Amino acid sequence: MNPQGAHPLPSTAGDAGKGDIDSRGQTVLADKVIEKIASQVASDESVAGGSSGGFLGIGTHADLSARPKASVELSGNIATLSVEVGMLYPVPLRQATEALRERIRAKVTELTGVEVRQIDIRVSWLTTDRGDGSGRRRLL
């Protein structure tokens, strides 16, 4: 054992040239990584957003520039995602959620190598405000 307390890797002199995948170790991916990727993909969508502000859910408001909430159940290399978004109204919800579902599935699989079997999308609010940041009310 060296002074830092690290142990040397076991010698695999016979397999050194073969590049055997099993001898290289294991990559562990935290659930939070997949959740952040899914929520970022959802926030990149022009018609989807999250909630911002408030404390413990009190005083929150619709914000298309906020990142939606995402949660994941990971079983080995298979993920089940749940995403809570808000959407810009009017939007065809079925088509918008299906497009969002496919983008999230493709991007999570591309970046992590995890197979996404199911994505549940919950639309928690709709807004007509695009959030242009002007801070002014629109007169009817």
Side-chain angles (χ1 to χ4, degrees):
M1 188 183 312
N2 64 21
Q4 287 82 19
H7 299 280
L9 294 174
S11 175
T12 55
D15 294 337
K18 295 180 183 176
D20 186 24
I21 292 174
D22 293 334
S23 68
R24 287 191 257 171
Q26 179 180 0
T27 301
V28 178
L29 198 61
D31 294 357
K32 292 289 182 189
V33 172
I34 296 172
E35 290 173 0
K36 283 198 175 194
I37 291 171
S39 65
Q40 185 62 46
V41 170
S43 73
D44 290 344
E45 186 68 28
S46 62
V47 296
S51 297
S52 64
F55 179 70
L56 296 175
I58 300 170
T60 60
H61 63 277
D63 188 357
L64 288 172
S65 63
R67 188 182 291 169
K69 292 181 194 173
S71 61
V72 66
E73 289 183 27
L74 195 57
S75 177
N77 199 31
I78 299 170
T80 300
L81 288 162
S82 178
V83 182
E84 182 179 338
V85 299
M87 294 202 158
L88 187 62
Y89 180 81
V91 64
L93 291 176
R94 184 172 296 192
Q95 290 92 350
T97 55
E98 191 57 39
L100 181 59
R101 189 174 284 116
E102 288 307 314
R103 278 193 202 95
I104 291 171
R105 178 177 285 121
K107 200 64 170 176
V108 167
T109 301
E110 175 190 342
L111 294 175
T112 64
V114 172
E115 180 184 349
V116 179
R117 288 267 173 97
Q118 180 178 338
I119 303 174
D120 296 324
I121 297 179
R122 179 176 174 247
V123 179
S124 59
W125 52 265
L126 296 171
T127 185
T128 57
D129 183 20
R130 289 191 173 272
D132 59 0
S134 65
R136 300 183 67 181
R137 286 198 219 176
R138 197 172 76 185
L139 298 175
L140 297 176

